[in-house]
Amino acid sequence: MRWSRGPAAGLAVGCAAILALTAGVLPAKAQAPPSSRFVVVIDAAHGGADAGGRLSSGQLEKNVTLELSVRLRSLLAARGIAVTTTRESDIDVDAVRRAEIANHARAGACLSLHASETGSGIHLFTSSLAPTQPARFEAWKTAQGAWISRSLALAGAINFALLHAGFDVTLSRTALTAVDSMTCPALALEVAPARGADGKVTAEPDDATYQASVANALASALLEWRMEGRQP
Ligand SMILES: [Zn+2]
């Protein structure tokens, strides 16, 4: 993901996956009783003609996000957590479809995965939409507004697990086209290189061991998140 950092307006996302959405409405899900089945939606960003960024290793972002998606999916499955993915191969999936998949699954959490050569550690992005009350019909482009507080709580839980596992973590708010249309706790997670104290890269985002550590911390966080959601 190439995040172009704007001035006071916060972060403007330059990701090719962030597409213009057609106007529309969708039924509100925020007031529906929570499903007893906890589903995590893993969204490997980019794919097909949209390669995303290119790492210094030459690897394309779309391949790195898919690798991480596969790793996380198998770790969650091993922990008994149901998973839905937005793609399993190198295919085009537009932002509307990604949100549709998450919303149809009534996800307990949705993670949109990116990778970048910029910065260090893990970057967590929550939607910059203002919180709204759940409405009978949510505007498609801003449906995430009713879920902001849950998404921030999810970001907090994941931040905690990543810090505990020794990762550098950066938390930000930004406009995220797919996530902004999701009616579930959702965030974008960008894997940047691991760096030592001198700033030198110690692991690239496509490093298998690094990815496995990230996926492990995420799986632990999501297990905790599921238990938290079950409490009255
Ligand atoms: Zn990206």
Side-chain angles (χ1 to χ4, degrees), residues 67-143:
E67 280 174 8
L68 184 58
S69 171
V70 169
R71 284 179 195 283
L72 181 56
R73 184 194 59 191
S74 64
L75 286 179
L76 291 174
R79 288 161 172 77
I81 293 180
V83 176
T84 296
T85 57
T86 56
R87 67 182 178 97
E88 288 287 321
S89 59
D90 185 18
I91 56 168
D92 290 292
V93 185
D94 69 24
V96 173
R97 183 68 192 133
R98 291 172 197 269
E100 281 174 352
I101 291 169
N103 297 349
H104 184 257
R106 302 182 68 177
C110 178
L111 298 186
S112 187
L113 305 177
H114 291 263
S116 169
E117 204 54 51
T118 309
S120 69
I122 311 299
H123 307 152
L124 299 179
F125 296 92
T126 314
S127 168
S128 55
L129 288 171
T132 54
Q133 291 297 315
R136 174 116 173 76
F137 289 98
E138 311 283 359
W140 174 258
K141 285 184 183 178
T142 56

Side-chain angles (χ1 to χ4, degrees), residues 1-2 15 45-46 52-53 61 113-115 190:
M1 180 182 288
R2 292 176 220 98
C15 228
H46 311 288
E61 183 185 359
L113 305 177
H114 291 263
E190 184 181 65

Side-chain angles (χ1 to χ4, degrees), residues 2-7 10-13 116 118-119 123 125 170 172 190:
R2 292 176 220 98
W3 307 96
S4 51
R5 284 163 170 79
L11 297 170
V13 176
S116 169
T118 309
H123 307 152
F125 296 92
T170 312
S172 311
E190 184 181 65

Side-chain angles (χ1 to χ4, degrees), residues 3 5 68 111-116 118-125 155 158-172 187-195 203-205 210-218:
W3 307 96
R5 284 163 170 79
L68 184 58
L111 298 186
S112 187
L113 305 177
H114 291 263
S116 169
T118 309
S120 69
I122 311 299
H123 307 152
L124 299 179
F125 296 92
I158 289 176
N159 177 44
F160 181 83
L162 289 168
L163 289 174
H164 186 71
F167 293 101
D168 289 336
V169 184
T170 312
L171 289 157
S172 311
L187 52 94
L189 181 149
E190 184 181 65
V191 181
R195 294 180 193 273
E204 291 288 348
Y210 182 39
Q211 277 200 11
S213 313
V214 173
N216 249 315
L218 294 176

